[in-house]
């Protein structure tokens, strides 16, 4: 028995030592010399990096409202606390100015910072791990070409044990791919390019895929839709009812490149930002490739009720300039608010009077009985940079009370989708806090 006890003790010591080495051994740096030699130099490298940085939508997460691009400080409110994005300009004190090429690649591929500490997956390194080393280095070259900004970020506020960075090594072991995305020889060049853009660069799943209990993407529900930072990212699988399976290629391409598609409404919230900062800058060929890839994502039947009603009775009885004859009896406060602040742009039939970007017909936002995105866009407004100038909707957070916005939201949902909704003032108050 004594001998058995010694064997068990030795095994425990070995296991503890192995875990300690796994958790605290400094992560080695990758060899980037081959990738460095394969890259162009000078302005050609910076131009490539600029395009890829936009494709990866880095500016959206690393810029605060009214702040300087890439200077960081944007808050991410998560179930286990609040994280703030870092400064990724080349400032040596508060940014990444002292990072080597190998350290930068390690951060994107392994989620490990320049001093060896683990990063948090609010930074989508589980997607960027699929990026080629050459593309990662081009992004670094572009970031280092930008004006340097000295900007300290607020301190993260996370609960235990999530405030212990070494815990992320277990997470990485489970959920971070081991190398760049490999082309599928059974697919077309367009499809493979689209897969790379969607999975490795634009990291679409980070918003559109639900999370599991460990806050990793639930691979069994790919692109089935999720809620993040108070906004819904809708189902973008090929499901014809709750996803994008019923969209035409032209509608998908227009929505991605312009932020608006005929009969599908306009992008707002985080998707609006993705179009504004990233997708509209991609070439038509890359947009076509993205469409080719997402078309093939297996359908996911979503439980979300944001199903577009093509021709609700309320819209059939309305014209661009007048609601249905019995609208006054059904609308109440919400109708009065819509008449005073919304109808002149959106039209009573949702066709959009001032600009196509104001069209509501076919929009999932006004077909979702939960009203999640509708409340947010009423509170915060929307804007989109287009080929014809900036398209904007004003924010009404300071103009209307929670009671008024709830009434307006319920009216809009009832009128444009024919669905019953039950947005409460408490729902609006919660959205304001987000």
């Amino acid at each position: 028995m004594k001998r058995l006890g010694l064997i068990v003790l030795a095994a425990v010591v070995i296991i503890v030592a192995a875990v300690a080495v796994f958790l605290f051994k400094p992560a080695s740096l990758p060899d980037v010399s081959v990738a460095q030699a394969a890259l162009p130099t000078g302005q050609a490298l910076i131009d490539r990096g600029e395009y890829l940085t936009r494709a990866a939508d880095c500016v959206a997460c690393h810029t605060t409202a009214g702040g300087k691009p890439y200077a960081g400080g944007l808050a991410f409110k998560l179930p286990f606390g609040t994280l703030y994005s870092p400064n990724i300009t080349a400032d040596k004190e508060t940014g990444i100015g002292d990072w080597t090429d190998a350290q930068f690649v390690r951060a994107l591929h392994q989620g490990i910072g320049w001093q060896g500490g683990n990063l948090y997956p609010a930074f989508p390194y589980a997607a960027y791990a699929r990026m080629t080393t050459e593309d990662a280095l081009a992004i670094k070259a572009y970031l280092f070409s930008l004006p340097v900004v000295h900007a300290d970020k607020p301190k993260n506020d996370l609960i235990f044990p999530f405030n212990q960075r070494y815990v992320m090594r277990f997470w990485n072991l489970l959920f971070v791919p081991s190398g760049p995305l490999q082309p599928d020889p059974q697919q077309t060049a367009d499809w493979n390019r689209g897969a790379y853009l969607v999975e490795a660069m634009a990291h679409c799943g980070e918003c559109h895929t639900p999370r599991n209990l460990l806050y990793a993407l639930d691979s069994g529900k790919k692109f089935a839709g999720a809620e993040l930072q108070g906004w819904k990212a809708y189902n973008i699988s090929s499901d014809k009812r709750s996803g994008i399976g019923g969209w035409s290629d032209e509608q998908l391409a227009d929505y991605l490149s312009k932020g608006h598609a005929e009969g599908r409404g306009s992008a707002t919230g985080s998707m609006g930002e993705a179009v504004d900062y990233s997708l509209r800058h991609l070439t038509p060929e890359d947009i076509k490739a993205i469409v080719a890839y997402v078309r093939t994502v297996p359908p996911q039947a979503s439980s979300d009720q944001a199903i577009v009603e093509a021709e609700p009775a309320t819209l059939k009885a309305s014209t661009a300039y007048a609601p249905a004859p019995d609208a006054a009896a059904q609308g109440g406060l919400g109708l009065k608010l819509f008449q005073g602040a919304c109808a002149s742009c959106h039209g009573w039939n949702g066709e959009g009077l001032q600009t196509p970007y104001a069209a509501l017909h076919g929009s999932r936002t006004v077909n979702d009985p939960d009203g999640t995105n509708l409340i947010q866009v009423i509170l915060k407004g929307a804007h989109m940079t287009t080929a014809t100038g900036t398209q904007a909707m004003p924010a009404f957070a300071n103009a209307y009370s929670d009671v008024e916005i709830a009434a307006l939201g319920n009216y809009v949902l009832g009128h444009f989708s024919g669905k019953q909704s039950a947005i409460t003032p408490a729902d609006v108050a919660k959205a304001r806090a987000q």
Side-chain angles (χ1 to χ4, degrees):
M1 290 296 293
K2 183 176 181 181
R3 184 177 180 182
L4 179 61
L6 290 174
I7 293 173
V8 172
L9 178 61
V12 170
V13 170
I14 291 171
I15 292 172
V16 170
V19 171
V21 169
F22 173 72
L23 289 176
F24 300 111
K25 180 184 178 181
S28 60
L29 289 167
D31 181 1
V32 298
S33 58
V34 174
Q36 288 170 326
L39 286 170
T41 58
Q43 190 61 43
L45 176 59
I46 293 172
D47 289 345
R48 174 174 171 176
E50 180 180 14
Y51 185 83
L52 294 168
T53 301
R54 284 178 168 166
D57 202 11
C58 303
V59 72
C61 289
H62 291 277
T63 309
T64 59
K68 294 183 178 179
Y70 304 104
L74 188 68
F76 292 85
K77 296 181 180 180
L78 305 170
F80 39 83
T82 302
L83 291 170
Y84 296 89
S85 63
N87 180 350
I88 57 170
T89 72
D91 182 63
K92 290 181 177 294
E93 293 182 11
T94 64
I96 61 172
D98 280 332
W99 289 43
T100 66
D101 283 356
Q103 287 168 338
F104 187 83
V105 171
R106 183 177 65 177
L108 266 66
H109 285 178
Q110 302 176 45
I112 297 172
W114 75 291
Q115 292 182 316
N118 284 84
L119 305 174
Y120 291 103
F123 170 53
Y125 61 83
Y128 293 156
R130 298 178 174 185
M131 188 187 301
T132 66
T133 299
E134 290 83 355
D135 284 352
L137 291 175
I139 288 174
K140 178 178 180 287
Y142 172 67
L143 292 175
F144 273 60
S145 75
L146 299 174
V148 171
V149 180
H150 186 89
D152 284 307
K153 75 178 183 68
K155 186 177 179 181
N156 294 334
D157 182 19
L158 301 174
I159 61 174
F160 183 84
F162 303 102
N163 58 358
Q164 305 300 307
R165 289 180 179 269
Y166 60 82
V167 174
M168 295 312 305
R169 293 204 174 188
F170 289 112
W171 193 94
N172 291 352
L173 189 65
L174 293 171
F175 301 116
V176 178
S178 59
L181 186 68
Q182 297 301 312
D184 184 343
Q186 303 301 316
Q187 297 288 351
T188 66
D190 262 0
W191 187 96
N192 279 301
R193 175 62 175 172
Y196 183 72
L197 289 166
V198 169
E199 303 289 354
M201 301 300 297
H203 53 278
C204 303
E206 293 290 322
C207 288
H208 289 279
T209 299
R211 303 273 171 174
N212 61 24
L213 291 176
L214 295 178
Y215 213 68
L217 300 185
D218 186 341
S219 59
K221 298 179 180 178
K222 182 174 179 177
F223 294 172
E227 188 170 337
L228 189 69
Q229 303 290 307
W231 291 85
K232 277 188 182 180
Y234 294 118
N235 185 336
I236 58 168
S237 76
S238 58
D239 185 73
K240 290 190 175 181
R241 178 166 169 78
S242 59
I244 58 169
W247 293 44
S248 68
D249 286 356
E250 183 180 8
Q251 286 175 327
L252 286 170
D254 283 348
Y255 199 85
L256 293 170
S257 62
K258 302 175 183 178
H260 172 78
E262 183 69 26
R264 300 294 179 180
S266 300
T268 57
S270 298
M271 188 63 200
E273 286 185 350
V275 173
D276 216 359
Y277 297 145
S278 175
L279 295 169
R280 72 183 179 90
H281 298 282
L282 301 186
T283 64
E285 293 77 17
D286 276 350
I287 293 294
K288 178 185 175 185
I290 291 174
V291 171
Y293 174 70
V294 297
R295 277 281 187 221
T296 67
V297 173
Q300 295 283 348
S302 174
S303 59
D304 190 84
Q305 297 301 305
I307 309 298
V308 173
E309 297 295 334
E311 295 292 339
T314 46
L315 288 191
K316 282 186 176 181
S318 301
T319 67
Y321 300 99
D326 61 349
Q330 300 174 3
L333 175 61
L335 180 145
K336 292 179 180 178
L337 293 169
F338 185 85
Q339 184 176 33
C342 312
S344 61
C345 285
H346 297 293
W348 291 99
N349 61 359
E351 70 178 22
L353 299 180
Q354 311 292 338
T355 168
Y357 283 82
L360 298 178
H361 187 250
S363 167
R364 287 198 270 195
T365 295
V366 298
N367 277 268
D368 180 6
D370 292 341
T372 304
N373 290 2
L374 179 61
I375 295 171
Q376 291 281 15
V377 78
I378 292 173
L379 286 171
K380 300 175 181 177
H383 65 86
M384 181 74 61
T385 306
T386 73
T388 58
T390 299
Q391 306 290 334
M393 169 182 159
F396 290 96
N398 295 327
Y400 296 137
S401 68
D402 294 346
V403 171
E404 290 171 320
I405 290 177
L408 176 59
N410 285 323
Y411 173 75
V412 167
L413 286 165
H415 181 72
F416 288 98
S417 71
K419 300 175 183 178
Q420 289 291 111
S421 64
I423 299 172
T424 67
D427 294 331
V428 180
K430 180 181 178 181
R432 284 185 192 273
Q434 293 172 323

